[in-house]
């Protein structure tokens, strides 16, 4: 365990070093995709955001705009235009083919890109989370800090026949996850969802959901899920783990214990130093922001 702790501490410093090299040496093929613009976003997505930011917006009204699945609080929303997805994947492939140092998303995905190392956090992912996604998650997941998702980890994963085919069951280090299919031609590879991690049942009930290009699935980070094998082609997915320090400062979502913090660069795992033992239990943590 101690060796794994030390390895994870080193990951932070290695990532900072890679980001500096990439910033200095990498030649971007599509520099425009690094700065979020409304033109990248699907008109239906902008309409959803407009509703969520309007006076009197409520959950029942939002559900008229989006597709929901079973009782697991999984929702499909349009996110990007097809044109943006094609340019973004082309940029990612250009980076993959370069001689730049590359960190991988996590221990389960061997192919993909950490978007903070590409320099996309400040100009793309943070405004996407704050301006566009948070009004939606505030209505869908108020109990998970949906109104105060104040950090994230964003990465792209790639599935193809000679690389990663699938992803086994797991849950995310996040309060809310957005998983967007960036496309390419592929067959099969549906996502499946089981129980919430804190509410396991003896015989879990799984549902399968198809990935649709340029559209995203929103789900609770603690929802146990995985990806079935693709049968042909390749698929790129943008994953954004969104985190609320107000929620996770009280209880770590991975171990269900009160967090013990270590220093980290950037967002780290989304915890903050404002742990107060005497915070009243009834305080509305999201209103403190």
């Amino acid at each position: 365990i101690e060796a794994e702790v030390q390895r994870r501490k080193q990951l932070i410093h290695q990532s900072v070093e890679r980001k500096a090299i990439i910033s200095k040496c990498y030649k971007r093929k599509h520099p425009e995709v690094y700065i979020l613009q409304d033109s990248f976003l699907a008109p239906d997505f902008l309409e959803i955001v407009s509703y969520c930011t309007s006076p009197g917006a409520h959950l029942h009204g939002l559900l008229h705009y989006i597709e929901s699945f079973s009782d697991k609080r999984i929702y499909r929303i349009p996110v990007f235009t097809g044109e943006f997805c094609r340019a973004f994947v082309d940029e990612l492939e250009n980076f993959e083919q370069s001689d730049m140092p590359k960190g991988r998303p996590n221990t389960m995905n061997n192919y993909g890109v950490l978007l903070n190392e590409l320099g996309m956090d400040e100009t793309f992912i943070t405004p996407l989370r704050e301006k566009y996604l948070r009004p939606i998650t505030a209505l869908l997941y108020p109990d998970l800090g949906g109104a105060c998702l104040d950090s994230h980890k964003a990465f792209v994963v790639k599935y193809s026949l000679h690389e990663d085919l699938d992803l086994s069951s797991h849950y995310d280090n996040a309060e809310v996850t957005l998983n967007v299919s960036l496309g390419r031609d592929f067959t099969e590879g549906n996502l499946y969802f089981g129980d919430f991690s804190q509410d396991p049942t003896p015989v879990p009930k799984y549902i399968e959901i198809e990935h649709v290009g340029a559209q995203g699935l929103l789900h609770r980070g603690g929802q146990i899920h995985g990806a079935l094998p693709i049968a042909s082609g390749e698929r790129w997915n943008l994953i954004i783990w969104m985190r609320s320090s107000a929620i996770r400062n009280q209880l770590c979502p991975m171990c269900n214990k009160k967090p013990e913090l270590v220093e980290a660069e950037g967002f780290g795992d989304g915890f903050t130093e404002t742990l107060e033992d005497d915070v009243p239990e009834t305080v509305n943590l999201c209103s403190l922001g």
Side-chain angles (χ1 to χ4, degrees), residues 52 62 73 129 132-149 176-177 218 242:
C52 292
L62 171 58
R73 302 174 71 190
R129 170 175 52 81
Y132 299 94
L133 294 172
R134 206 157 55 187
I136 300 172
T137 58
L139 295 179
L140 294 177
Y141 306 105
D143 52 323
L144 296 172
C148 52
L149 297 171
V176 179
T177 295
L218 276 168
M242 295 180 281

Side-chain angles (χ1 to χ4, degrees), residues 171-175 177 221 241-243 248 252-254 269 271:
Y171 56 92
D172 301 336
N173 185 0
E175 274 63 69
T177 295
W241 289 352
M242 295 180 281
R243 295 156 168 169
R248 62 182 38 222
C252 171
M254 304 306 284
D269 276 347
F271 302 96

